PDB file of all heavy atoms in Angstrom:
ATOM      1  N   ILE A 118      -6.846 -18.918 -18.111  1.00  0.00           N
ATOM      2  CA  ILE A 118      -6.599 -20.340 -18.402  1.00  0.00           C
ATOM      3  C   ILE A 118      -5.177 -20.517 -18.918  1.00  0.00           C
ATOM      4  O   ILE A 118      -4.467 -21.452 -18.520  1.00  0.00           O
ATOM      5  CB  ILE A 118      -7.637 -20.865 -19.425  1.00  0.00           C
ATOM      6  CG1 ILE A 118      -9.000 -20.995 -18.747  1.00  0.00           C
ATOM      7  CG2 ILE A 118      -7.195 -22.198 -20.007  1.00  0.00           C
ATOM      8  CD1 ILE A 118     -10.141 -21.236 -19.706  1.00  0.00           C
ATOM      9  N   ALA A 119      -4.757 -19.597 -19.806  1.00  0.00           N
ATOM     10  CA  ALA A 119      -3.401 -19.671 -20.350  1.00  0.00           C
ATOM     11  C   ALA A 119      -2.379 -19.569 -19.223  1.00  0.00           C
ATOM     12  O   ALA A 119      -1.383 -20.295 -19.202  1.00  0.00           O
ATOM     13  CB  ALA A 119      -3.183 -18.549 -21.358  1.00  0.00           C
ATOM     14  N   LEU A 120      -2.673 -18.695 -18.299  1.00  0.00           N
ATOM     15  CA  LEU A 120      -1.756 -18.509 -17.171  1.00  0.00           C
ATOM     16  C   LEU A 120      -1.708 -19.769 -16.322  1.00  0.00           C
ATOM     17  O   LEU A 120      -0.633 -20.240 -15.929  1.00  0.00           O
ATOM     18  CB  LEU A 120      -2.220 -17.313 -16.326  1.00  0.00           C
ATOM     19  CG  LEU A 120      -1.277 -16.895 -15.212  1.00  0.00           C
ATOM     20  CD1 LEU A 120      -0.025 -16.273 -15.800  1.00  0.00           C
ATOM     21  CD2 LEU A 120      -1.963 -15.905 -14.287  1.00  0.00           C
ATOM     22  N   THR A 121      -2.883 -20.355 -16.075  1.00  0.00           N
ATOM     23  CA  THR A 121      -2.952 -21.588 -15.286  1.00  0.00           C
ATOM     24  C   THR A 121      -2.204 -22.714 -15.990  1.00  0.00           C
ATOM     25  O   THR A 121      -1.432 -23.449 -15.374  1.00  0.00           O
ATOM     26  CB  THR A 121      -4.428 -22.001 -15.089  1.00  0.00           C
ATOM     27  OG1 THR A 121      -5.138 -20.899 -14.545  1.00  0.00           O
ATOM     28  CG2 THR A 121      -4.538 -23.176 -14.148  1.00  0.00           C
ATOM     29  N   ALA A 122      -2.412 -22.827 -17.312  1.00  0.00           N
ATOM     30  CA  ALA A 122      -1.737 -23.866 -18.089  1.00  0.00           C
ATOM     31  C   ALA A 122      -0.226 -23.695 -18.014  1.00  0.00           C
ATOM     32  O   ALA A 122       0.515 -24.665 -17.840  1.00  0.00           O
ATOM     33  CB  ALA A 122      -2.198 -23.804 -19.543  1.00  0.00           C
ATOM     34  N   ALA A 123       0.216 -22.447 -18.123  1.00  0.00           N
ATOM     35  CA  ALA A 123       1.649 -22.172 -18.049  1.00  0.00           C
ATOM     36  C   ALA A 123       2.196 -22.567 -16.684  1.00  0.00           C
ATOM     37  O   ALA A 123       3.281 -23.141 -16.567  1.00  0.00           O
ATOM     38  CB  ALA A 123       1.901 -20.696 -18.315  1.00  0.00           C
ATOM     39  N   THR A 124       1.402 -22.281 -15.647  1.00  0.00           N
ATOM     40  CA  THR A 124       1.833 -22.613 -14.294  1.00  0.00           C
ATOM     41  C   THR A 124       1.930 -24.125 -14.115  1.00  0.00           C
ATOM     42  O   THR A 124       2.900 -24.643 -13.568  1.00  0.00           O
ATOM     43  CB  THR A 124       0.832 -22.029 -13.268  1.00  0.00           C
ATOM     44  OG1 THR A 124       0.630 -20.663 -13.573  1.00  0.00           O
ATOM     45  CG2 THR A 124       1.353 -22.174 -11.853  1.00  0.00           C
ATOM     46  N   VAL A 125       0.914 -24.838 -14.623  1.00  0.00           N
ATOM     47  CA  VAL A 125       0.901 -26.304 -14.525  1.00  0.00           C
ATOM     48  C   VAL A 125       2.093 -26.888 -15.275  1.00  0.00           C
ATOM     49  O   VAL A 125       2.782 -27.786 -14.786  1.00  0.00           O
ATOM     50  CB  VAL A 125      -0.424 -26.864 -15.084  1.00  0.00           C
ATOM     51  CG1 VAL A 125      -0.346 -28.378 -15.268  1.00  0.00           C
ATOM     52  CG2 VAL A 125      -1.576 -26.511 -14.154  1.00  0.00           C
ATOM     53  N   LEU A 126       2.339 -26.360 -16.468  1.00  0.00           N
ATOM     54  CA  LEU A 126       3.452 -26.827 -17.293  1.00  0.00           C
ATOM     55  C   LEU A 126       4.769 -26.622 -16.564  1.00  0.00           C
ATOM     56  O   LEU A 126       5.640 -27.506 -16.549  1.00  0.00           O
ATOM     57  CB  LEU A 126       3.458 -26.050 -18.612  1.00  0.00           C
ATOM     58  CG  LEU A 126       4.178 -26.717 -19.777  1.00  0.00           C
ATOM     59  CD1 LEU A 126       3.449 -28.008 -20.153  1.00  0.00           C
ATOM     60  CD2 LEU A 126       4.242 -25.774 -20.958  1.00  0.00           C
ATOM     61  N   LEU A 127       4.889 -25.468 -15.961  1.00  0.00           N
ATOM     62  CA  LEU A 127       6.122 -25.150 -15.232  1.00  0.00           C
ATOM     63  C   LEU A 127       6.308 -26.116 -14.066  1.00  0.00           C
ATOM     64  O   LEU A 127       7.394 -26.672 -13.864  1.00  0.00           O
ATOM     65  CB  LEU A 127       6.045 -23.707 -14.717  1.00  0.00           C
ATOM     66  CG  LEU A 127       7.321 -23.145 -14.120  1.00  0.00           C
ATOM     67  CD1 LEU A 127       8.336 -22.903 -15.232  1.00  0.00           C
ATOM     68  CD2 LEU A 127       7.027 -21.848 -13.386  1.00  0.00           C
ATOM     69  N   ALA A 128       5.210 -26.365 -13.341  1.00  0.00           N
ATOM     70  CA  ALA A 128       5.265 -27.268 -12.193  1.00  0.00           C
ATOM     71  C   ALA A 128       5.607 -28.683 -12.654  1.00  0.00           C
ATOM     72  O   ALA A 128       6.420 -29.373 -12.041  1.00  0.00           O
ATOM     73  CB  ALA A 128       3.926 -27.242 -11.462  1.00  0.00           C
ATOM     74  N   LEU A 129       4.997 -29.075 -13.769  1.00  0.00           N
ATOM     75  CA  LEU A 129       5.230 -30.413 -14.314  1.00  0.00           C
ATOM     76  C   LEU A 129       6.682 -30.581 -14.747  1.00  0.00           C
ATOM     77  O   LEU A 129       7.320 -31.614 -14.463  1.00  0.00           O
ATOM     78  CB  LEU A 129       4.295 -30.623 -15.507  1.00  0.00           C
ATOM     79  CG  LEU A 129       4.125 -32.068 -15.978  1.00  0.00           C
ATOM     80  CD1 LEU A 129       3.404 -32.874 -14.906  1.00  0.00           C
ATOM     81  CD2 LEU A 129       3.347 -32.114 -17.279  1.00  0.00           C
ATOM     82  N   SER A 130       7.222 -29.592 -15.437  1.00  0.00           N
ATOM     83  CA  SER A 130       8.611 -29.686 -15.893  1.00  0.00           C
ATOM     84  C   SER A 130       9.565 -29.705 -14.707  1.00  0.00           C
ATOM     85  O   SER A 130      10.575 -30.414 -14.718  1.00  0.00           O
ATOM     86  CB  SER A 130       8.942 -28.533 -16.848  1.00  0.00           C
ATOM     87  OG  SER A 130       8.821 -27.303 -16.187  1.00  0.00           O
ATOM     88  N   ALA A 131       9.203 -28.960 -13.671  1.00  0.00           N
ATOM     89  CA  ALA A 131      10.027 -28.956 -12.465  1.00  0.00           C
ATOM     90  C   ALA A 131       9.989 -30.329 -11.811  1.00  0.00           C
ATOM     91  O   ALA A 131      11.009 -30.863 -11.375  1.00  0.00           O
ATOM     92  CB  ALA A 131       9.522 -27.895 -11.498  1.00  0.00           C
ATOM     93  N   TYR A 132       8.778 -30.930 -11.806  1.00  0.00           N
ATOM     94  CA  TYR A 132       8.602 -32.265 -11.222  1.00  0.00           C
ATOM     95  C   TYR A 132       9.408 -33.299 -11.998  1.00  0.00           C
ATOM     96  O   TYR A 132      10.122 -34.114 -11.423  1.00  0.00           O
ATOM     97  CB  TYR A 132       7.109 -32.613 -11.240  1.00  0.00           C
ATOM     98  CG  TYR A 132       6.806 -34.026 -10.810  1.00  0.00           C
ATOM     99  CD1 TYR A 132       6.659 -34.318  -9.453  1.00  0.00           C
ATOM    100  CD2 TYR A 132       6.673 -35.042 -11.730  1.00  0.00           C
ATOM    101  CE1 TYR A 132       6.382 -35.602  -9.045  1.00  0.00           C
ATOM    102  CE2 TYR A 132       6.397 -36.332 -11.333  1.00  0.00           C
ATOM    103  CZ  TYR A 132       6.256 -36.617  -9.983  1.00  0.00           C
ATOM    104  OH  TYR A 132       5.987 -37.886  -9.590  1.00  0.00           O
ATOM    105  N   LEU A 133       9.296 -33.215 -13.346  1.00  0.00           N
ATOM    106  CA  LEU A 133      10.019 -34.165 -14.200  1.00  0.00           C
ATOM    107  C   LEU A 133      11.524 -34.017 -14.022  1.00  0.00           C
ATOM    108  O   LEU A 133      12.254 -34.991 -13.945  1.00  0.00           O
ATOM    109  CB  LEU A 133       9.640 -33.948 -15.671  1.00  0.00           C
ATOM    110  CG  LEU A 133       8.238 -34.420 -16.049  1.00  0.00           C
ATOM    111  CD1 LEU A 133       7.925 -34.014 -17.471  1.00  0.00           C
ATOM    112  CD2 LEU A 133       8.117 -35.937 -15.882  1.00  0.00           C
TER     113      LEU A 133
END
Side-chain angles (χ1 to χ4, degrees):
I118 288 169
L120 187 70
T121 307
T124 309
V125 168
L126 202 65
L127 189 71
L129 195 67
S130 62
Y132 173 86
L133 287 174

